[in-house]
Structures are given as C-alpha cells and as structure tokens.
Amino acid sequence: MSVKIRLSMLAAASAFSLLTSLPAWAEGSLSIYAWADSIAPEAVAKFEKETGIKVTVDAFSSNEDLLTKLQAGSSGYDIVTPSQHFVKIMIDSGLLEDIGASSMPAFQQILPEWQKQWWDPTGNYSVPLAYGNAGFTVNRNLYKGPVDSWKVYFEPSEELKGKIASLAQADEVIPAAQNYLGIPYCSEDPKEMKRVLDLLQAQKPFVAAYSSDNIENRIGGGEVAMHFWWDGNTMRVRRNDKANVEYAMPKEGLVGWLDSYAVPKGAANLDNAKKFIDFMAKEENATIEYNYYGHSSPVKVDASKALYNKENAPELFPTVPVKMGQACSPAAQELVTKVWTQLLQ
Amino acid sequence: MNQRLRLPSWNVLGLLPAQLIMLLTLIIPVGIIILVSFSTRGPYGGFDYVFTTAPYKQILFNEGWSGELEFNPQYLIVVARTVILSLATTIICLALSFPVAYFISLQKTSAKMLLIYLVTLPFWVSMIVRVYSWIIILGNDGVIAKALRALGITNNIGSLLFTDTAMLIGLVYSYIPLMILPVFASIEKLDPALVEASHDLYGSRLTTLRRVILPLCRPGMVAGAILVFVPCLGAVLEPVLLGGGKTMMMGNLIQLQFGAARNWPLGAAISIVLMCAVMIFLLWRGIHAMRKEGRENGA
C-alpha cells in the first residue's frame, strides 16, 4: 500500500514538474527517456537512495520517435539514450547539450575503442551505455537449416512462407539488406537502392509481419521461425525463457549499434543528469546494468560479477564482422524512405 | 452599413469561451499544420519557414529510380486502400448494427439499459488493449485456431493474424459501437403504429422494412456511417498490430513521414489532403440533406 502511494505521488510529482518545470520542483528530480526496459531498475533504486533524487523513466521504441520528440521542442526529459547515428544527427541539429562529458569521471570508465568515435568526436556530448548488433534469430524447433548467411533470411526457402518476421523500421532492416548485397550503408545511388527494394519485395511474400513489438512471443513461442532481432534480446529469451532460439552469424556482417546517455538542449535538471551518468558508469553499477540489460557494455564492468561470457552468451561475442550503422545524408535517407514506402504501399 | 456597426448581441458573447477553446485547440493547430505543409523540410526532420508547394507536388510526382520526375501512384494506392477499407468497415458495421439495435429496442426497459451499457463498455478500455486482444484471439495459439484444431477442422490456419481480414475485423470491432448507438436511437423513435399501418395495408414484412422502417431510420444510419467512416480514415493501430504492418493506411503513411522519413512537410500535406477529403464528404452530405429537407418542406 505504502509503495503504491509513494509511486503515485512520484508520478504526480514528476507530471507536475514536467508541466510547470518550476525550479523548486526540479531540484530533486530526473526524468529519463530510454529504450524500453533498458535501464536496470535496481541501479535506479540505488541511485535514488544514495542521492535522494527522484527518477522517472519513460520508454521509446525507435530512434525516430526520440528524434521527432526532441525536434518538436521541450520534451521535458533530462537524459535520452539515442543510438550512435542519431547522436550525430542530434549534435548536428543542435538538439543536445554540451555536458563536457570528456572531463567527467564517467569518461575514464569508457573502454578506449568507444571513446571519441565519429558520432561524437569531441566526446563531450555522450557517454556510451550499451552496444550490440542487429541480425536475425531462428527458432530451432521450426527451422533446422544453416544460419551462416543473410541469404536464408532474405531469400528463404519455400517452407518458410509466412514464417518470417521483420521489423517495422526501415533504419534497422535496410542496412542488413545492404550488407547482404554488398552495398555501402546510406548509398545515394538509386540503382543500388533499387536492388535493395527488389530483394525486400521478393522477400515480402514470406514475411508474416513487419513489427517491432512483442518480438519475444513471436519468435520464442514459434509464431514465426525467423525474426529480425538483436543479440542481447535473443540471449535473454534463450536464457530466461528457455526458448529454443539461436542468433545467426551471417558472414556478410551484422549491423552494429551503440546507445549513449545524452542530455537534450535546455534540460531542467542538468546537474542531476550528469550525476546519474557518472553513477551508471561506475564499475559496480555498470555491472548491475550489464547483467540486467544483457547487451555488451562499452564501460568497464566487474568481470567477477558479470553474468555473461563467451560460453554462456555466444550471442554477445560475434564471430563475423560487425559494421556500425551510419547517419545518412538527406539524399540517402530519401532513398531509404522510397524503398520502404514502395515496399509497404 | 449601420447594421454592421451594431454590437454583438449577448448570446454571441456567451458563446465566447467555447469559441476561444475551438480557436486555441482546433483552428490554430490546423493553421500550424497548413503552415508546415507549405514549408521546406529540414535535413534531419523538422522544417524551415521557406514557402514551397513541393510537399503537395510530392504526393503525386516523385523522382523515379532513374532519377527523373515522374507520376507516382504510391501514395494514391495508400489513399485508395484507406477509402476502400473504411467503406467496407462502414458497410459491415451498418449490416451488423441494424439487427442488434433493433433487437435491443424490442427489450424491456431494464434489459435495454443493460444492453446499451454493454455496447458502450469497450469505450472504457484503452484502444490499444482492445486491438491487442485480437492478436491473442487470432494468433497461432489463439482461441479460434485452438477451437478449429480441437474440432479437427483444420490444422493449418496460421494465416488468420496479419492479414487484411484481421485488419478489417479489428476496424469493425473498434468502431461498431459508434454505429449501434445512433441507429438504436432512431429505431427507438420509430412509431410502432406506422409499422402496424403498413401491415394493415397488406405490406409484407420485407416491404415494411424497405418502405417504412429503413427510410425512417435513415438519419441514424447516416450519422452512424459518418461516425465510423471518418475515424476509420485515420486508423493507425489496426494496420500495424493486426495487419502485421505489411500494408499502410493513410495514418501510417503520415506517421512514417513524421518519423523515419523525416519529411514533416509531406506528412502535413497528406494530413491536409485527408482532412479536406473528410470535409468535402461531410459538406456533400450536408448539402444533400438540406436539399432533401427543402424538397420535403416545399412539397
């Protein structure tokens, strides 16, 4: 009962602070807009206990949703967690706050290979939170064949008709098709993109749904035999739900992503946001986050407490090339949209 | 001239709060949408206030794969699908609502109240939950599939969910209460004496239905049809959740333009076209009804 009351008060308080954003209310609160189920509740509770700052976490389910919300102005959020190519777009469009991340304690925790990458060359706007890749997952009860190439997914055999599912976002699916066809990401050549469209159109009769919700049930429960999906999610559904699934390692390459903490321009609780980012980058908290989220950690974790390793979570240790998704130019984006519109028209 | 200078009368001033709300929540936002639809798209979404009619041209003409501007029916196909699905939904709703409403109107007052309450019950549940429940009903392990399997009729009906049929079922289910209520209201107002009179004049059951009951219930049916048809045009959830996202309706197309496509002006332009289509449809209905009334009064 008391928990319920506290939660509702929290919700009311945060709603109130969002609406009014009075400084007096803003003092002790922090609102986070992150990928669904991406932030460990245990870590959030620990942060609240240590600092007395009230945290609310809302979920988005695609980078585009997040970008649109920030572009529409005053989102009311203090921390957002875009993927690498959207970090670049947001920095370029002036939507993020320069928080001087490269001089924050959190920066020292970032593994060297993820510091000051092309999406944030000064390292001042973002601190990475998790990374992984997009590929496809098969249900081994329904599909026994090989999973070493995108061919089995994009040009499936006859018995898989209506047994394949894709995602609802062009930004996820098209780079994978480009990997398969050997076309560079964000191609501005219409002829190349026409080949992508032809490939996806030929695949369409096999596709049961283009949907990014409820994937666990669809692939784990066997509604479909193959699903476009992510590494860590596959690992979690295999370990936690004992689903007979396998993450494919296509030789043409997986599509890499990395999500970062960033602060939207004009955030009301800038200092609290920085406190939270530093907190989450600490080794013990990063370990809690790693164990909860199940995606690879770009910050140092405590190896003795980390749950996943090469043996029990092969999904997180790809044996094929991983090519990071790019921020497309408007011209290239136009072609991506054209492919997607004509595919679903 | 003098008349124009006269101060507005009190009843006009009394309506001011309502008009203010209309202005702030309807007219100004629509104005903004119109403004965006004539703006230039920003490189990564958003828009700049530079006047252009390109978004409207884009609805019909697009660069082809060879790079030349050509007539492209891709958006018109989506519009046509939306209109056809909405019409089908309206017709099915009408066909199902009439017997239901008639049945309810024949009950005792207490039963009537209960049944009407049951019809409105779905409104208390979130739209997403209502549509989602059909995933569970139509899915591979759903009620229908299990029943058919248990009865030994068929083993292979994995194709129920993620089809156009599933989409149509979802649309009909979502909007049918909006049809039942006005149809019920007009049946309630029907004078039983007229039905009796028709029988007295040797009208058969079919003739009575055709010549007496249906014409008298027309206003309710028209109101219901508008209430179902118009929101159907903007449906977003059903194509995504039940249609499996394989084909778009106009709502999804607009969402795509504001989201992944990062082309807000085009999204706004499509919204305006959708809105104009609805307004033309309603105007046509209105003029039609007014003319008819005029004829009847004149005769």
Side-chain angles (χ1 to χ4, degrees), chain A:
Chain A
M1 195 59 191
S2 71
V3 174
K4 252 190 191 164
I5 289 169
R6 231 192 42 208
L7 272 178
S8 63
M9 276 170 63
L10 197 90
S14 61
F16 189 68
S17 69
L18 275 184
L19 281 173
T20 59
S21 57
L22 289 171
W25 277 89
E27 280 289 318
S29 67
L30 176 70
S31 39
I32 301 174
Y33 197 40
W35 290 91
D37 298 320
S38 66
I39 310 285
E42 190 190 336
V44 171
K46 196 173 158 206
F47 177 75
E48 285 185 320
K49 209 171 155 210
E50 276 181 22
T51 61
I53 295 168
K54 298 260 182 259
V55 180
T56 43
V57 183
D58 288 343
F60 61 83
S61 57
S62 76
N63 280 309
E64 289 94 7
D65 286 354
L66 171 62
L67 178 65
T68 309
K69 200 146 202 167
L70 292 189
Q71 278 168 338
S74 83
S75 61
Y77 293 108
D78 304 311
I79 292 181
V80 294
T81 61
S83 303
Q84 77 287 351
H85 41 321
F86 280 74
V87 168
K88 178 166 168 52
I89 291 174
M90 285 170 191
I91 293 174
D92 288 351
S93 348
L95 293 169
L96 296 182
E97 196 76 55
D98 181 345
I99 53 171
S102 60
S103 47
M104 280 164 61
F107 189 81
Q108 301 309 316
Q109 300 298 113
I110 306 172
L111 300 176
E113 65 265 35
W114 297 116
Q115 288 177 2
K116 298 187 181 178
Q117 277 283 351
W118 55 264
W119 50 88
D120 183 8
T122 61
N124 276 334
Y125 291 88
S126 64
V127 173
L129 133 88
Y131 71 92
N133 53 72
F136 67 98
T137 305
V138 297
N139 185 315
R140 277 305 188 193
N141 295 334
L142 298 171
Y143 176 79
K144 315 275 186 209
V147 288
D148 58 347
S149 165
W150 279 109
K151 187 175 173 54
V152 298
Y153 179 79
F154 283 119
E155 298 178 304
S157 49
E158 204 54 40
E159 79 264 17
L160 287 167
K161 207 150 219 161
K163 287 282 167 201
I164 289 182
S166 194
L167 294 190
Q169 282 93 21
D171 257 50
E172 303 268 4
V173 179
I174 287 179
Q178 286 167 327
N179 275 357
Y180 175 51
L181 294 173
I183 293 170
Y185 293 159
C186 300
S187 165
E188 293 183 13
D189 179 355
K191 281 193 211 81
E192 287 182 338
M193 292 306 283
K194 179 74 171 63
R195 285 175 60 209
V196 173
L197 175 63
D198 291 341
L199 179 73
L200 294 177
Q201 255 167 355
Q203 185 208 21
K204 194 175 177 186
F206 295 86
V207 177
Y210 295 89
S211 168
S212 308
D213 323 293
N214 210 12
I215 300 174
E216 285 88 344
N217 282 327
R218 238 183 339 261
I219 185 69
E223 180 103 34
V224 295
M226 277 185 196
H227 211 305
F228 197 98
W229 214 14
W230 300 284
D231 52 349
N233 302 65
T234 308
M235 188 266 294
R236 277 191 324 215
V237 98
R238 179 178 60 75
R239 280 172 59 104
N240 303 346
D241 305 335
K242 306 281 172 275
N244 190 12
V245 293
E246 184 179 339
Y247 192 64
M249 291 291 164
K251 56 178 180 280
E252 300 88 359
L254 297 156
V255 185
W257 55 262
L258 175 137
D259 298 336
S260 301
Y261 298 108
V263 179
K265 201 112 206 170
N269 303 296
L270 190 83
D271 292 335
N272 291 350
K274 289 173 79 169
K275 257 184 224 162
F276 184 80
I277 293 169
D278 277 331
F279 174 87
M280 290 302 279
K282 272 188 198 154
E283 198 169 286
E284 49 171 314
N285 302 325
T287 312
I288 296 174
E289 170 66 16
Y290 175 62
N291 289 344
Y292 172 82
Y293 196 23
H295 282 293
S296 306
S297 179
V299 292
K300 290 171 203 144
V301 293
D302 182 349
S304 66
K305 290 198 181 118
L307 283 180
Y308 317 117
N309 54 48
K310 253 188 177 127
E311 279 67 45
N312 66 23
E315 293 90 347
L316 301 188
F317 301 89
T319 54
V320 292
V322 178
K323 300 174 196 164
M324 294 301 276
Q326 303 285 320
C328 289
S329 69
Q333 190 63 31
E334 188 80 347
L335 289 174
V336 167
T337 309
K338 187 185 279 185
V339 167
W340 205 246
T341 311
Q342 297 201 356
L343 178 67
L344 302 182
Q345 74 182 7

Side-chain angles (χ1 to χ4, degrees), chain B residues 27-231:
Chain B
I27 295 171
I28 291 179
V30 168
I32 293 174
I33 297 174
I34 293 174
L35 195 70
V36 173
S37 76
F38 283 108
S39 300
T40 307
R41 64 183 293 194
Y44 296 113
F47 59 94
D48 301 313
Y49 291 111
V50 179
F51 179 83
T52 171
T53 53
Y56 289 93
K57 284 185 195 137
Q58 249 181 317
I59 297 178
L60 291 178
F61 297 96
N62 244 305
E63 260 177 41
W65 291 107
S66 57
E68 274 162 43
L69 206 62
E70 55 183 40
F71 173 71
N72 193 334
Q74 57 181 357
Y75 300 129
L76 289 184
I77 291 172
V78 177
V79 173
R81 176 185 300 114
T82 308
V83 171
I84 291 169
L85 268 172
S86 304
L87 275 178
T89 307
T90 311
I91 291 166
I92 294 172
C93 279
L94 198 59
L96 292 176
S97 299
F98 197 81
V100 172
Y102 206 84
F103 173 78
I104 296 175
S105 74
L106 293 177
Q107 306 305 307
K108 287 197 302 263
T109 312
S110 58
K112 221 184 266 181
M113 298 293 279
L114 179 71
L115 287 172
I116 284 296
Y117 169 72
L118 287 178
V119 167
T120 58
L121 201 61
F123 286 133
W124 296 88
V125 182
S126 146
M127 182 88 153
I128 291 196
V129 175
R130 281 189 279 151
V131 175
Y132 230 99
S133 65
W134 279 99
I135 296 184
I136 299 164
I137 297 170
L138 296 172
N140 257 352
D141 277 326
V143 185
I144 295 175
K146 269 189 184 150
L148 288 179
R149 243 174 268 151
L151 292 169
I153 295 173
T154 174
N155 268 329
N156 189 19
I157 55 147
S159 53
L160 262 184
L161 189 59
F162 306 136
T163 58
D164 288 349
T165 317
M167 216 149 97
L168 198 58
I169 291 175
L171 286 169
V172 169
Y173 170 76
S174 301
Y175 297 116
I176 202 167
L178 296 173
M179 180 71 91
I180 293 180
L181 294 176
V183 171
F184 169 75
S186 65
I187 291 176
E188 274 285 282
K189 277 193 280 178
L190 191 69
D191 189 349
L194 291 173
V195 178
E196 269 170 43
S198 165
H199 285 307
D200 286 349
L201 294 169
Y202 300 104
S204 67
R205 288 167 152 227
L206 199 68
T207 314
T208 309
L209 180 70
R210 211 161 46 83
R211 304 283 299 271
V212 180
I213 299 176
L214 284 182
L216 286 171
C217 294
R218 234 182 97 98
M221 286 157 67
V222 170
I226 290 172
L227 285 178
V228 170
F229 184 74
V230 172

Side-chain angles (χ1 to χ4, degrees), chain B residues 263-276:
Chain B
N263 195 344
W264 292 20
L266 179 58
I270 299 171
S271 308
I272 295 293
V273 168
L274 175 64
M275 208 163 63
C276 287

